[in-house]
Amino acid sequence: MSKAIYPGSFDPVTLGHVDIIHRAAKMFDSLTVSVLNNSEKTPLFSVDERVKMLREVCKDLSNVKIDSFSGLTADYAQRSGTDVIIRGLRAITDFEYELQMAQTNRKILPTLDTVFLTTSLEYAYLSSSIVREVASYGGDIHEFVTPDIAEKVYSKLGVNRNGK
Ligand code: ADP
């Protein structure tokens, strides 16, 4: 059975992530989307909240599971019994970091491979940080995330859009 993990911060999960999840879920028998508990970042949403949001947006995908982890992605992959990491690539700016991470992971665990899916053009500009920034100024984020998550982001940031 082919199995992959898609690790990330997902703070919050965007339609760009959802697109990658749908496409990866078609390529593997089983896909685990996993929230990285990164102590170096101060997230907007807790790990539990991010896991819940991912469960909600993936509820119709029967071969997708949601999980969380801390520590090295390579160790997590090994514990999960998979050799494949999925990552999304948006622009050349992602490339350098992603290449370095993929090579580091392979150094740690030589059987590990990273599969890159290139973003769909309509989401090429989209990131969780853009969502947080636009929302913090009361801007419309409904083209970036699901309606339910948009409400959660506004509420978390204390933004009142007066029914907009
Ligand atoms: P991280 O902090 O690990 O980069 P993110 O949640 O920002 O976590 O992203 C997780 C993965 O999803 C990364 O591989 C990132 O490049 C990819 N990704 C993020 N946004 C998009 C998007 N709009 N289209 C395609 N891939 C994306």
Side-chain angles (χ1 to χ4, degrees), residues 88-99:
L89 269 187
R90 281 162 298 193
I92 195 79
T93 41
D94 278 343
F95 182 75
E96 222 171 306
Y97 172 74
E98 292 292 345
L99 181 69

Side-chain angles (χ1 to χ4, degrees), residues 146-164:
T146 63
D148 197 39
I149 290 178
E151 290 324 304
K152 286 191 168 70
V153 174
Y154 290 128
S155 150
K156 185 65 115 178
L157 291 166
V159 173
N160 183 354
R161 300 188 69 241
N162 298 317
K164 267 193 271 172

Side-chain angles (χ1 to χ4, degrees), residues 6 15-16 36 39 43 48 54 57 64 70-71 80 83 103-104 130 143 146 148-149 155 164:
Y6 178 27
L15 295 180
L36 170 62
S39 54
D48 279 355
L54 278 163
V57 298
V64 174
S70 4
S80 310
D83 275 333
Q103 287 170 340
T104 305
I130 285 287
E143 277 187 47
T146 63
D148 197 39
I149 290 178
S155 150
K164 267 193 271 172

Side-chain angles (χ1 to χ4, degrees), residues 9-34:
S9 305
F10 306 106
D11 187 33
V13 55
T14 69
L15 295 180
H17 296 129
V18 173
D19 173 60
I20 298 289
I21 293 169
H22 275 88
R23 287 159 57 200
K26 280 194 209 149
M27 298 167 64
F28 295 89
D29 296 324
S30 159
L31 175 72
T32 303
V33 183
S34 201

Side-chain angles (χ1 to χ4, degrees), residues 61 82 115 118 144-145:
L61 297 168
T82 180
V115 171
T118 54
F144 307 157
V145 294

